[in-house]
Amino acid sequence: MDALRHDDVRHRARRRFLEQVGLAFESVHLPRMAGRVLGALLLGPTDGLTAGELTEALGASKGSISSSTRLLEHYGFVDRVVLPADRRDRFAIRPGAWTRVLDERFSLVRSLRDLAEEGLTLLDPGDDPRPLSEVRDMYEFLDDAWPELLARWEQRRRDMQQEGGRP
C-alpha cells in the first residue's frame, strides 16, 4: 500500500514538474507544450524518447508533439537521434544545450548594447544620456563577463565529471 501511495505521489510530482517547465516556457512566449516536452525529456532516459512515447506520456496529440520537438530542435535544446537496431526517431537533450542557448541569448545582449550606443549618438545637445548610458554600460558589463562565466562553468563541469558527480 505504501509503495502504491509513493508511486502516486511521485507521479503527481512529475506531472507538476512538467507543467512548471511548460509554464516557464510560456512565460518567455514559447508554447507551453514545448516546455512540457522538454520537461519529459529531462526526466526521461538519456537516449531520449520517441514521439509516440512523448504523446503517451503527455497525453498530447501527435501534431502537438511534432511541432514542439521541431521547435526544441530549432532552439538547440534537443537532437533527433536513432539508436542502433531501432529505426524510430528519438528526441534527446542535446549535450551542452544550456550553454549554447545562453550563448545565443547573449547575442541579444550585444544587440541591445549596440542599439544603446547608437541611440547615444542620436541625442540632441541637452538630452539626458543617462538612460541610454545605463543600458549600454550594463549590457557591456554582462557581455564582458560572459566569456569568463562560461569558462568557469566549463571547468566546473569538467571537474564534476572527473569526480563522478553531476553533469
Side-chain angles (χ1 to χ4, degrees):
M1 180 76 163
D2 284 338
L4 288 176
R5 186 171 172 189
H6 174 72
D7 287 347
D8 187 47
V9 169
R10 184 171 169 75
H11 176 75
R12 284 192 311 237
R14 290 173 67 90
R15 300 295 301 178
R16 188 171 43 255
F17 175 81
L18 298 177
E19 289 307 318
Q20 291 299 316
V21 177
L23 289 171
F25 260 54
E26 196 172 68
S27 75
V28 293
H29 309 290
L30 291 169
R32 184 185 296 192
M33 182 54 72
R36 293 177 68 219
V37 168
L38 182 64
L41 293 172
L42 287 167
L43 294 177
T46 304
D47 59 0
L49 296 167
T50 66
E53 290 167 335
L54 288 165
T55 299
E56 185 178 323
L58 298 172
S61 71
K62 289 179 182 181
S64 179
I65 296 299
S66 177
S67 60
S68 294
T69 53
R70 275 195 313 271
L71 183 72
L72 291 170
E73 282 182 285
H74 171 77
Y75 280 109
F77 284 108
V78 303
D79 284 325
R80 187 182 300 249
V81 296
V82 178
L83 298 178
D86 183 1
R87 297 172 51 176
R88 299 175 301 166
D89 286 345
R90 301 181 82 73
F91 300 94
I93 299 296
R94 181 179 290 176
W98 312 107
T99 301
R100 277 194 294 284
V101 167
L102 272 177
D103 202 36
E104 288 175 16
R105 294 295 175 241
F106 266 85
S107 67
L108 176 61
V109 167
R110 291 176 199 105
S111 295
L112 291 171
R113 179 203 59 211
D114 293 345
L115 281 171
E117 187 68 43
E118 180 182 343
L120 284 165
T121 68
L122 301 173
L123 291 176
D124 291 326
D127 287 345
D128 185 359
R130 288 179 295 184
L132 281 169
S133 293
E134 182 178 351
V135 171
R136 180 205 52 208
D137 295 347
M138 182 183 74
Y139 286 134
E140 186 173 72
F141 172 80
L142 290 173
D143 190 35
D144 289 346
W146 175 240
E148 181 186 337
L149 283 172
L150 184 57
R152 286 176 52 202
W153 162 244
E154 290 298 334
Q155 183 59 53
R156 182 176 180 183
R157 193 167 127 216
R158 283 190 298 274
D159 292 347
M160 287 187 295
Q161 288 171 340
Q162 287 175 351
E163 295 167 4
R166 300 177 307 207

